[in-house]
Amino acid sequence: MARFILRRILQAAFVLLVMSFVIYSLIGLMPGDPIDIMIASNPGATPELAAALRKIYGLDQPLLSRYGHWLWAAVQGDFGYSRLHSAPVLAVLAPALWQTCKLMLISFTAAVLLAFALGIVAALRPGGPVDALISLFAFAGISVPVFWLALMMILVFAVDLHWFPASGIATVGDGSIRDYARHMVMPVITLALAQTGGFTRFVRASMIESLRSDHVRTARAKGAGEGRVVLVHAFRTALIPVVTVMALNFGSLFGGALLTETMFAQPGMGKMIYDSILGNDYNLALTGLLFATLVTLLSNLLADIAYGWLDPRITLA
Amino acid sequence: MRVWAAMAVAAMVVFAAPAYAAPREQLVIGVSQFPSTLHPAVNPEAIKSYTMGFGLRPISAFDSDWKNTCLQCTELPSLANGLARMEGHGMAVTVKLRSGLLWGDGVPVTAGDLAFMWKLGHDPESGFADLSYWLRVDSIEVIDDLTAVMHLNQPWTQFDHLPGMLPEHLEAKAAAAGKQPGDYAKQSLYARAPTTPGLYNGPYRITQYDSGTQVVLEPNPYWHGTAPGFRRIVIRAIENTAALQANLQSGDVDFAPGDAPSLTLDQVLALRRQHPDAWTYLFKPALSYEHIDLNLDNPILADIRVRRALLLALDRRTLADRLFEGMQPVAASFVTPLDPMHDNAVPVQPYDPVRARALLAEAGWRPGPDGICRNARGERLSLEFGTTAGNRVRELAQLVMKDQWRAVGVEALVKNDPARTFFGETVKRRQFSAMAMYAWSTGISYPPRQVLASDQIPTASNNWGGSNYMGFRDAGMDAAILTAETDLDPGHQRAAWAAMQRIYAEQLPALPLFFRADAYVLPKWLKGVRPTGHSDYSSLWAEDWHAE
């Protein structure tokens, strides 16, 4: 197991190295640079000033040279300076990461628990009215765009009912846990609902297959109660493909987080990566995207480890 | 099931309390961008200038009547009062600061702070985004704590537009610590510790800075002017303008300003139609000038008759009435009628499709079987027409204009790019083959060298510097710009500005469209906000804002 994990970590390091180059190159290939943005709003800007600013920001160097400098500094723990936030990248990233982690973990947990419950119930009577209702809910969750759902949540729960604040992470001058929690409710529900639909469909399909398998039939023949058959024998087997899908989906939560963070004006990683790409903030964009890559790689590693736990026949070596 | 239901109800009771009534001693301003830095001279951004307007005052600024006024000085320098005089090939401009001005930590504001600003602004490695002002100043002589003389290396008509200052007692250390070019911008307290009280000399100072989210301002105890009307001002960034509008409707945001990036004009117009009595709506014509650049290297557009025909074929007034409910005035040239240098002798060209067709015929373009004109060689009168993709109002206007041109036999081929590509490549490198629609923003009576002088045409040899994207070359325009920049005789200046507007309207390097209007949504209880319509934002007079 230890060798397996070590090997995967080394693979992840290699993937991150390759990705850093790919991302840096892609951002570098985008049209325009930060100085274009600066001088566009400056009626007194001259070509000489633009050249001086490019030198200051290191943009007069070839892309490969800039990447080399960044990589060498990053290896030493310096991920550079964020031009958009006027602060070192790690100082900008850490609070945003914490905010997104809270949002992602809570909404992911909520989505998974809800999907398990709905998926199992739907699989018990496939084709029945309850299954149809749950499928309708699941397809609605899959098809409704996150930004629209977020806007509807704001209009209903903030504009009409005044139950929850429409934006931000805390009320200025409050800072109580209750206040933080109130600000988290709508983003969490939005992001969770966006994930639940797909997860529910996977759980349902996997459970239907599992309930028809030989070992479940054997368990029933041995006289196991229906609850034990479903929740222990069938569900554990059904979890194997579901865990894969959920692990792969965890990385994509950044995409959903971007939309919820934008709509609810919360300072998280998703929004930060988006802004940094649009604003040509190379250092921040690169580090943020690498972190998103790392999260995906780690969630896949966790999924592989979970296989071994769920299915004793699988050995990790 | 009952347990779950009970838990859900309990959660609702705990978390879903009705929103608190907005206390009138706090004002929450909703904007759609967040400043990348608070340093006043690094990264010119409208949102930064708006935010800093509450806390950091320049020595002078244009007010809501577009008159240059003293904010931190006793009187503006002029040749008449002797505070400005010619010396050698340049000028000496005396700045007299008001007595009793203090930074937010109680340290006096002095002429040394102005000299410190110049020292940094004069250094090309400081990271200042606009060195042009400071490079005109050869030296600053500090006479006493409240008096300094700026020695300009050439006459400059904008000499009485006095700059801001930096607190030397706090920023000198950061300036000295810089080892690499641009280090100062990173070391500055405005970047590292923006809640340091001494960085501000206005009625408010920043007490909380949540990067990307919000800035909180509270009254500066060392401010000696009119007492601020709010205990707290929160500037909250909500990037998505639909969400921003929802925040306004829910009461999470009180005020959407028109001079900072916030709700769009069409959103405000729609809001006014839906809720005419819920808020106070203000519309202020502004300096931003919407127009269509014409690439004068295009052989079709090199013919002035075609350029005139294109303008005459546009019904701009109806377009402005329908799309902007008449809030955006139609432009005759690049100078807004509100500018003191506007020349009434240059009229807005009328909508005249008959004359447009005649001009095209005169230029050798006659309608073909499909209605599109062709020349003697059988070439179609077809022109690419680009703008920023995703800008809903612009794209709508573009479609209307395309139809209007088609009616006179001109085929406009829409070719839009994302803003980043459009400004970063398409116009910057003059890659648009015919027409590009966007807006300029400038200062009041600020000479238009960057956009209209022949030495500002972007080319590979000048590393694509300058913003004369049209490729406009006119000796008369170049001479008038120079006069507007350096001739201190008011009569000569006025004549130069009149010449610039006349040449622009006659030569049409760009098709003038509209002057944008800033749209404000204010709560009924908010009083004292005076929109300016220019780059000295209304926040510079925030001490007059109060709740009623």
Side-chain angles (χ1 to χ4, degrees), chain A residues 30-31 36 38 41-44 49 56 81 84-86 159 162-163 166-167 178 181-182 263 267 271 275 277-278 280, chain B residues 14-15 17-19 36-37 43-44 124 129-130 132 182 186 211 213 237 239-240 243 246-247 250 252 420-421 425 428 450:
Chain A
M30 289 171 70
D36 292 330
M38 277 190 206
S41 52
N42 179 2
L49 171 65
I56 285 173
Y81 191 80
L84 281 184
H85 294 264
S86 298
V159 176
H162 292 283
W163 283 5
S167 61
R178 178 179 174 277
R182 288 185 70 237
M263 296 303 288
K271 186 169 176 296
D275 289 343
I277 292 172
L278 284 190
N280 267 347
Chain B
V14 171
F15 295 123
S36 63
T37 174
N43 269 13
D130 185 6
S132 59
K186 297 176 186 173
S211 187
T213 314
E239 197 171 320
N240 184 284
N247 273 260
S250 71
D252 289 77
R420 172 190 186 106
T421 309
E425 295 283 336
K428 180 190 166 193
Q450 192 197 359

Side-chain angles (χ1 to χ4, degrees), chain B residues 171-190:
Chain B
E171 287 289 279
K173 198 173 164 190
K179 292 183 177 62
Q180 301 285 327
D183 269 0
Y184 165 66
K186 297 176 186 173
Q187 295 297 326
S188 166
L189 289 175
Y190 287 102

Side-chain angles (χ1 to χ4, degrees), chain B residues 4-42:
Chain B
W4 282 104
M7 285 171 66
V9 170
M12 284 296 178
V13 169
V14 171
F15 295 123
Y20 299 112
R24 296 291 161 82
E25 52 191 18
Q26 172 174 297
L27 175 69
V28 181
I29 302 173
V31 294
S32 59
Q33 290 176 13
F34 194 83
S36 63
T37 174
L38 291 179
H39 194 291
V42 176

Side-chain angles (χ1 to χ4, degrees), chain A residues 10 18 22 40 45 54 66 81 94 107 110 145 161 164-165 194 212 242 255 268:
Chain A
L10 289 174
V18 173
V22 171
R54 283 201 174 84
R66 275 188 272 155
Y81 191 80
S107 55
L161 298 173
F164 299 109
R212 289 173 183 159
V242 171

Side-chain angles (χ1 to χ4, degrees), chain B residues 58-62 66-69 73 76-77 93 95 114 133-134 137 150 152 156-164 340 443-447 493 536:
Chain B
I59 300 173
S60 78
F62 284 92
W66 294 41
K67 286 197 171 59
N68 194 16
T69 53
C73 51
L76 288 173
V93 178
V95 179
L114 176 61
Y133 183 95
W134 296 107
V137 183
M150 299 198 294
L152 275 57
W156 174 234
T157 53
Q158 314 275 303
F159 68 84
D160 59 349
H161 300 182
L162 301 176
I444 296 171
S445 305
Y446 196 91
Q493 279 181 48
D536 289 337

Side-chain angles (χ1 to χ4, degrees), chain B residues 99-388:
Chain B
S99 61
L101 296 174
L102 299 172
W103 293 102
D105 52 5
V107 172
V109 175
T110 69
D113 294 319
L114 176 61
F116 176 66
M117 182 78 163
W118 166 79
K119 188 179 155 196
L120 288 170
H122 210 254
D123 176 4
E125 297 192 338
S126 64
F128 276 29
D130 185 6
L131 301 178
S132 59
Y133 183 95
W134 296 107
L135 291 177
R136 291 176 192 279
V137 183
D138 269 350
S139 64
I140 287 192
E141 187 184 345
V142 176
I143 306 295
D144 57 43
D145 275 357
L146 300 177
T147 314
V149 179
M150 299 198 294
H151 296 281
L152 275 57
N153 50 27
Q154 60 178 334
W156 174 234
T157 53
Q158 314 275 303
F159 68 84
D160 59 349
H161 300 182
L162 301 176
M165 295 174 283
L166 290 172
E168 185 181 17
H169 67 288
L170 294 174
E171 287 289 279
K173 198 173 164 190
K179 292 183 177 62
Q180 301 285 327
D183 269 0
Y184 165 66
K186 297 176 186 173
Q187 295 297 326
S188 166
L189 289 175
Y190 287 102
R192 287 191 300 117
T195 56
T196 305
L199 296 175
Y200 306 97
N201 60 19
Y204 291 92
R205 59 187 171 87
I206 291 174
T207 54
Q208 188 177 326
Y209 177 83
D210 302 323
S211 187
T213 314
Q214 63 185 7
V215 170
V216 180
L217 299 123
E218 291 176 4
N220 175 2
Y222 293 98
W223 168 253
H224 284 281
T226 306
F230 292 98
R231 190 170 60 82
R232 182 184 290 145
I233 289 180
V234 179
I235 300 176
R236 182 172 297 160
I238 302 168
E239 197 171 320
N240 184 284
T241 55
L244 176 53
Q245 183 177 329
N247 273 260
L248 191 70
Q249 291 174 274
S250 71
D252 289 77
V253 161
D254 299 315
F255 169 37
D259 44 357
S262 187
L263 295 182
T264 57
L265 177 63
D266 57 321
Q267 273 184 301
V268 176
L269 290 170
L271 201 61
R272 189 176 66 160
R273 282 194 296 274
Q274 291 161 10
H275 307 282
D277 301 319
W279 290 278
T280 302
Y281 301 92
L282 296 178
F283 298 89
K284 177 82 178 180
L287 274 171
S288 291
Y289 163 59
E290 192 80 21
H291 64 281
I292 302 171
D293 272 6
L294 303 176
N295 189 333
L296 301 179
D297 292 344
N298 181 315
I300 297 174
L301 294 173
D303 189 331
I304 181 62
R305 292 168 295 189
V306 175
R307 304 204 293 271
R308 285 191 191 135
L310 287 172
L311 185 62
L312 290 168
L314 293 180
D315 186 358
R316 293 171 293 165
R317 199 167 302 279
T318 304
L319 195 62
D321 287 345
R322 297 278 166 82
L323 280 184
F324 314 119
E325 299 184 15
M327 294 298 170
Q328 302 210 138
V330 175
S333 79
F334 63 97
V335 181
T336 165
L338 296 172
D339 193 295
M341 290 298 173
H342 178 258
D343 184 10
N344 288 326
V346 177
V348 172
Q349 289 297 316
Y351 170 51
D352 190 347
V354 176
R355 176 89 183 112
R357 282 190 205 97
L359 277 169
L360 289 176
E362 200 181 302
W365 295 98
R366 300 188 184 282
D370 58 355
I372 300 299
C373 290
R374 286 166 172 78
N375 63 11
R377 290 191 298 276
E379 294 163 342
R380 288 164 69 85
L381 181 44
S382 188
L383 299 166
E384 277 187 354
F385 181 21
T387 188
T388 47

Side-chain angles (χ1 to χ4, degrees), chain B residues 439-471:
Chain B
W440 287 336
S441 276
T442 184
I444 296 171
S445 305
Y446 196 91
R449 171 169 296 283
Q450 192 197 359
V451 287
L452 289 175
S454 58
D455 61 358
Q456 297 293 315
I457 299 171
T459 60
S461 61
N462 69 7
N463 200 20
W464 306 105
S467 302
N468 181 348
Y469 303 128
M470 299 83 71

